[in-house]
Amino acid sequence: MERLQQWLDRLLVLDVFLVIGAALWFGTAVVLHAQGVEVPLQLFQRLWEPLFTPAIGLLMAAALLSGALGWWRRRGQR
């Protein structure tokens, strides 16, 4: 159980950085779009469904699972 928790924590850290990077990329792409540079926003839109949507979903699911595992562990110690 401890090994699963460690693996899940590492996955969450990597996923958080991916989601933060995507948010920064999106913000930059929107600013560039306003200046007439379309390529970064178009690339972001192409990667949205296959990369960023699952990353956000994985982040939410892993956070819920991590919380449930922590609750289960605390419950078992009583």
Side-chain angles (χ1 to χ4, degrees):
M1 190 65 97
E2 184 69 28
R3 188 172 222 168
L4 176 64
Q5 182 70 37
Q6 288 177 350
W7 181 83
L8 187 59
D9 288 343
R10 288 182 186 138
L11 180 65
L12 275 171
V13 168
L14 290 173
D15 201 39
V16 163
F17 282 116
L18 177 64
V19 170
I20 289 171
L24 292 173
W25 181 0
F26 178 70
T28 304
V30 168
V31 169
L32 290 173
H33 173 72
Q35 297 176 354
V37 180
E38 303 294 329
V39 176
L41 188 57
Q42 289 173 351
L43 183 57
F44 181 87
Q45 288 173 337
R46 282 196 350 230
L47 292 175
W48 175 254
E49 195 63 38
L51 180 63
F52 300 130
T53 301
I56 293 168
L58 179 64
L59 181 63
M60 292 188 299
L64 290 172
L65 183 59
S66 178
L69 287 174
W71 172 80
W72 186 266
R73 212 185 289 150
R74 283 190 306 275
R75 183 174 172 247
Q77 290 175 353
R78 292 183 191 182

